[in-house]
């Protein structure tokens, strides 16, 4: 298990190779996970997280903005308006720096992460904070754009949980403000990884205080 | 003689997204469009339109570009940046383009990236600007097949923003 989780770079390389067709290796890794997970907790995070006051933002371009407003509402108990978000542009949304600056000004701490491994994700989900992942919504929804090169993250979603009870079918729980029924969605880890990889597994970890 | 390895387009795009201007000024969710290679000051450059793109189950929509930027190899240094609506009295006026993601379109789209990587590699190893010109010709024909000819009109882009 340790070799699976401890070396994020190694894991990423292996996962890349797996997708090029080294399927046996993938099965072996998952089997190792199964043996070790028998006496452990199968679900990391809190899958009911983020439901309070959740709202739908139909424009995926504004997902980061919407998540910022939602987190301020949920964690600080305050309402905020779009114009209060720094660098907000009516047409386009908000830049990453603008988002971070705004959240910092409201008493939130934001850590930026790249290339997170599954173990990193588990640790963050068990910590007191919220994990936002930059994904391609088209790849996440398994549209045909999955086959296109050069896809970039167009959407920020909140990952709320990870269920490893069946290591052959690991599930990711997430809230997607740009989907009408986006609160409490579930997808396979592999699908999630594909959509997250377009941003080099970029994530923001938001804590209050 | 050191032989350079192929630089994947994904790596190129990662360098670009890590640029401070990108982090500070480009709204989250915008993405670099198709790579436009050029040789300027005897250096290999890549320019991108930066715009929104929306995916549908079997279609892909590219919105009109909002920014234009040029980077010098290895694509960490930005040498040109325009916020297009504020740049020119006669901006490149294009409408959003939607194309079906059939096998042919995917092949054409991905072919642009493959050829771009090959041209960059030729430049690095042979300092051969002809590879870049060949890529530009390939680019013109591929964007035409995808219905992106008006957005990626090389003549107009050259006049308005330079480089390509």
């Amino acid at each position: 298990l340790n070799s699976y989780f401890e070396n994020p770079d190694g894991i990423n390389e292996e996962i890349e190779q797996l997708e090029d067709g080294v399927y046996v290796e993938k099965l072996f890794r998952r089997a190792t996970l199964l043996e070790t997970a028998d006496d452990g907790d199968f679900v990391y995070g809190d899958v009911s997280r983020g439901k309070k006051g959740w709202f739908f933002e139909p424009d995926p371009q504004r997902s980061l903005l919407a998540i910022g407003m939602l987190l301020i509402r949920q964690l600080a108990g305050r309402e905020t308006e779009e114009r209060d978000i720094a660098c907000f542009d009516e047409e386009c949304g908000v830049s990453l720096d603008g988002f971070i600056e705004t959240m910092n000004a409201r008493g939130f701490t934001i850590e930026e992460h790249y290339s997170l491994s599954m173990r990193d994700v588990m640790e963050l989900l068990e910590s007191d904070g919220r994990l936002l992942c930059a994904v391609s919504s088209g790849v996440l929804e398994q549209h045909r754009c999955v086959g296109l090169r050069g896809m970039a993250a167009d959407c920020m979603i909140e990952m709320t949980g990870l269920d490893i009870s069946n290591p052959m079918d690991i599930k990711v729980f997430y809230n997607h403000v740009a989907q009408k029924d986006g609160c409490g969605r579930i997808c396979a880890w592999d699908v999630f990884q594909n959509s997250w990889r377009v941003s080099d597994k970029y994530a923001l970890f938001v804590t209050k205080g | 003689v050191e032989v350079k390895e192929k630089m994947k387009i994904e790596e190129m795009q990662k360098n670009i997204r890590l640029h401070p201007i990108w982090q500070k000024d480009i709204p989250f969710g915008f993405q670099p469009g198709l790579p436009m290679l050029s040789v300027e000051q005897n250096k290999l450059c890549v320019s991108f339109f930066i715009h929104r793109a929306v995916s549908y189950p079997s279609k892909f929509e590219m919105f009109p570009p909002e920014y234009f930027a040029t980077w010098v190899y290895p694509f960490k240094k930005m040498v040109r940046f325009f916020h297009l609506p504020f740049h020119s009295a006669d901006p490149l006026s294009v409408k959003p383009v939607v194309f079906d993601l059939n096998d042919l379109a995917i092949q054409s789209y991905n072919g642009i990236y493959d050829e771009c990587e090959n041209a960059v590699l030729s430049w690095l190893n042979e300092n051969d600007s002809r590879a870049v010109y060949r890529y530009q010709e390939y680019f013109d024909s591929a964007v035409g097949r995808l219905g992106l000819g008006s957005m990626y009109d090389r003549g107009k882009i050259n006049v308005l923003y330079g480089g390509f």
Side-chain angles (χ1 to χ4, degrees), chain A residues 36 94 102 152:
Chain A
T36 320
V94 63
T102 303

Side-chain angles (χ1 to χ4, degrees), chain B residues 28-56:
Chain B
F28 174 77
F30 273 56
Q31 49 188 293
L34 297 167
M36 299 177 262
L37 288 182
S38 58
V39 178
E40 298 178 57
Q41 308 295 321
N42 204 30
K43 289 185 165 61
L44 181 65
C45 299
V46 66
S47 301
F48 286 101
F49 280 136
I50 300 165
H51 57 90
R52 296 177 58 183
V54 176
S55 155
Y56 302 98

Side-chain angles (χ1 to χ4, degrees), chain A residues 18-30:
Chain A
L18 293 175
E19 292 197 343
D20 286 338
V22 190
Y23 190 61
V24 176
E25 180 71 359
K26 185 176 187 176
L27 287 174
F28 170 73
R29 293 289 180 187
R30 294 283 165 93

Side-chain angles (χ1 to χ4, degrees), chain A residues 59-61 63-64 87 89 91-98 112 114-115 133-135 137-139 142-156 197-200 202, chain B residues 8-10 13-14 17-18 20 22-33 51-60 66-67 83 99 101-103 105-106 109-110 113-114 117:
Chain A
D59 183 353
Q61 189 61 51
S63 62
L64 184 59
C87 306
D89 180 304
E91 293 285 316
C92 308
V94 63
S95 70
L96 277 171
D97 278 8
E112 287 184 272
Y114 278 96
S115 305
C133 301
V135 301
S137 52
V139 177
Q142 299 191 73
H143 295 165
R144 287 214 73 194
C145 69
V146 169
L148 291 182
R149 294 194 62 188
M151 291 294 291
D154 61 356
C155 200
M156 194 67 89
R197 192 171 290 132
V198 302
S199 70
D200 195 22
Y202 179 77
Chain B
K8 302 280 277 186
I9 200 82
E10 287 77 10
Q13 290 187 335
K14 184 179 165 188
R17 283 199 305 271
L18 287 174
W22 188 288
Q23 300 272 326
K24 187 172 184 304
D25 287 336
I26 308 288
F28 174 77
F30 273 56
Q31 49 188 293
H51 57 90
R52 296 177 58 183
V54 176
S55 155
Y56 302 98
S58 58
K59 290 180 192 296
F60 195 66
E66 185 79 13
Y67 305 89
H83 191 177
F99 55 92
L101 286 176
N102 53 41
D103 290 343
I106 291 173
Y109 193 92
N110 290 344
Y113 289 107
D114 295 340
E117 288 171 350

